[in-house]
Amino acid sequence: SSDLFEALLKPFIRAHERKQRGVIRPLSVAPMASLVLRSLLIAACVLGTHAAAIATLFNTGIGTNGLAMPRIYSTPDPHYTVNGGPAYLGGIQTDWLANDAKSQWLAPLSGGAVPMQANIGFYTYSTTFDLTGYDPYSAFIAGSYAVDNILVQITINGKLVPNVGFSTCDVSAYKSIALPFRVTDGFQPGQNTLSFVIYNANGPTGLRIVMNGTANTGTPTTNIFYEIPELYNTGMDANGRPLSAATVFPAWTVRSSAAAVGPATYVVPAHPAWLANDAISQWISVAPATTTSIPNEPAGDYIFSINFTLPSNVNASTTRVALIFASDNFITQATLNGVIVPGLTYTQGPCSLITYKAFSRVFSINTGFKVGVNRLSLTINNDGGPVGLRAVIRGYARYGSYTTVTTTTTTTTSTTSSTRTTTSTTTTTTTTTRTTTTTT
């Protein structure tokens, strides 16, 4: 029950909320919290393990000694980079949340007391931390951020963190450090990289992070997660490398709303108005193209689909797929195995970001999966111009299967009086369902 989960998780919630280079917002355990997170933490309760702080995980603007770095302008933060270069302790805008002993603002440009104007576009802030000596499959990070303008996505070791991103474009994003995030999986032994991708709509830009990280110490446990290998980012091969323009891309198909089956898609260059292709994903379309002059297509709906298989040794009910996408024009609906996925339509992002100029927020699909072949489809409505989709996608499930256990209890009751003895037997059968995890 929800109450049982609350009781089991309270010691761990308190552990994650304790002070470690600053205090984060309290965690809450909603009744529909992540099944995977609950399973990991309850397993830790049962095994009696103890989480320790990840010593090499730092808030922005915090030195190796755990104290706020001196505010010497143009000093790079030793624990963070931005777009592969230094992330600086710059000045702050008068309307930004003030720096404090827990964390400080970082910026992509060095400058004085007032942050410098930055180019419009995307900025990726990254920090690395070491899980040597920890069990990476027990690791957990929770924190909050402030940003100017918006946080688009978070990745851990290049994998999307679900349910964060595209927070807001109003002043609340940089006036408080109250926008939460959690990282519950995707960790690996040794070095790990946590990245925050933000979008600057205009003017100065900056990022500020406060977070805590914990993991069990000792020998790593067996990985209990199955990562779905058939979920290809658009325009990438099986090894995650970009395909050439005009290459057939069979992982994703596309069809019109009138067609029952669609042909494979084609990798295309980015239209001049679209978000540029990169080493993570590329645009795909209905017809091949080798230049940015993407051909127009008839108005109507175009359904892009990808198939993937869940093997019999995973528990389909624990599957989660996370994705972000850009599209031309709008995605009007998403379906999984023919059933509409709620909350996945995307018409326009914050800061007036239209669908083909930036990725959507990260969406997570948690229900509707089955053992065997699954089909995820995104419907794009076209107004008569070019049609395109660019998606970054990942998914996993837990190993294990359902086992039904039937327990029969027989109770015999005897009643004796002066004239006779009466015996009655009551049989109670209780059927319970549990998940038996089989690791590989």
Side-chain angles (χ1 to χ4, degrees):
S1 70
S2 176
D3 292 340
L4 175 61
F5 282 126
E6 291 275 2
L8 288 172
L9 292 176
K10 278 182 179 178
F12 291 90
I13 297 168
R14 286 195 293 268
H16 291 309
E17 290 174 351
R18 69 179 181 271
K19 185 175 182 180
Q20 177 201 353
R21 297 182 297 276
V23 179
I24 62 170
R25 285 164 54 86
L27 299 176
S28 62
V29 183
M32 296 303 290
S34 165
L35 175 60
V36 174
L37 173 59
R38 284 179 170 176
S39 301
L40 287 172
L41 295 182
I42 291 172
C45 283
V46 172
L47 295 174
T49 53
H50 299 282
I54 300 172
T56 53
L57 186 69
F58 292 90
N59 297 337
T60 53
I62 300 299
T64 305
N65 60 1
L67 301 177
M69 297 174 60
R71 296 292 307 171
I72 302 175
Y73 301 123
S74 301
T75 301
D77 186 316
H79 306 118
Y80 285 81
T81 62
V82 56
N83 292 350
Y88 295 99
L89 286 168
I92 65 171
Q93 290 282 85
T94 55
D95 52 355
W96 287 1
L97 176 70
N99 291 316
D100 57 31
K102 303 170 189 175
S103 70
Q104 303 184 83
W105 285 93
L106 297 184
L109 301 173
S110 60
V114 177
M116 297 178 64
Q117 301 289 311
N119 291 333
I120 296 172
F122 294 92
Y123 295 84
T124 300
Y125 290 79
S126 297
T127 184
T128 59
F129 56 94
D130 191 358
L131 289 181
T132 300
Y134 298 89
D135 177 1
Y137 304 114
S138 69
F140 177 92
I141 293 175
S144 300
Y145 64 91
V147 63
D148 189 344
N149 289 103
I150 59 174
L151 184 138
V152 178
Q153 69 182 57
I154 298 176
T155 64
I156 177 71
N157 298 317
K159 300 174 182 178
L160 293 171
V161 176
N163 302 323
V164 293
F166 266 152
S167 47
T168 181
C169 191
D170 60 31
V171 296
S172 63
Y174 50 78
K175 282 189 174 294
S176 66
I177 193 160
L179 299 167
F181 67 91
R182 300 181 192 179
V183 186
T184 60
D185 67 273
F187 301 94
Q188 63 189 21
Q191 291 293 319
N192 289 253
T193 300
L194 181 65
S195 297
F196 303 83
V197 181
I198 72 173
Y199 181 82
N200 183 39
N202 57 69
T205 182
L207 177 69
R208 186 172 161 192
I209 301 292
V210 173
M211 60 185 169
N212 288 326
T214 61
N216 296 336
T217 56
T219 305
T221 57
T222 303
N223 187 2
I224 62 174
F225 294 107
Y226 168 77
E227 185 132 13
I228 303 170
E230 300 152 295
L231 293 178
Y232 287 60
N233 294 346
T234 54
M236 312 302 286
D237 67 13
N239 296 312
R241 296 174 300 201
L243 294 167
S244 301
T247 301
V248 175
F249 186 60
W252 286 79
T253 62
V254 61
R255 65 179 177 86
S256 67
S257 56
V261 179
T265 55
Y266 293 87
V267 180
V268 296
H271 186 280
W274 293 353
L275 177 68
N277 289 329
D278 59 26
I280 304 300
S281 69
Q282 301 185 97
W283 285 91
I284 57 175
S285 189
V286 177
T290 57
T291 70
T292 57
S293 297
I294 310 301
N296 293 338
E297 301 294 340
D301 286 342
Y302 292 81
I303 303 170
F304 289 77
S305 300
I306 186 169
N307 289 349
F308 57 94
T309 301
L310 294 178
S312 59
N313 64 336
V314 305
N315 186 338
S317 69
T318 65
T319 306
R320 182 167 66 185
V321 169
L323 72 156
I324 58 175
F325 49 83
S327 62
D328 190 351
N329 291 106
F330 299 145
I331 288 183
T332 58
Q333 74 174 25
T335 62
L336 176 65
N337 297 322
V339 178
I340 293 176
V341 178
L344 271 178
T345 56
Y346 173 55
T347 55
Q348 184 163 309
C351 300
S352 299
L353 295 175
I354 54 179
T355 57
Y356 49 76
K357 286 190 176 294
F359 280 123
S360 66
R361 63 161 291 170
V362 182
F363 291 100
S364 183
I365 306 172
N366 303 314
T367 61
F369 300 95
K370 62 183 180 180
V371 169
V373 178
N374 293 257
R375 187 175 184 85
L376 175 64
S377 299
L378 304 175
T379 300
I380 295 178
N381 181 262
N382 181 41
D383 61 3
V387 175
L389 172 68
R390 185 174 163 200
V392 176
I393 185 169
R394 66 168 289 226
Y396 61 81
R398 288 189 57 167
Y399 289 108
S401 59
Y402 282 122
T403 302
T404 300
V405 181
T406 301
T407 305
T408 302
T409 304
T410 302
T411 304
T412 302
T413 304
S414 298
T415 303
T416 304
S417 66
S418 59
T419 57
R420 64 181 181 178
T421 299
T422 303
T423 301
S424 62
T425 301
T426 302
T427 300
T428 303
T429 301
T430 303
T431 301
T432 59
T433 302
R434 69 167 182 257
T435 301
T436 302
T437 301
T438 304
T439 57
T440 61

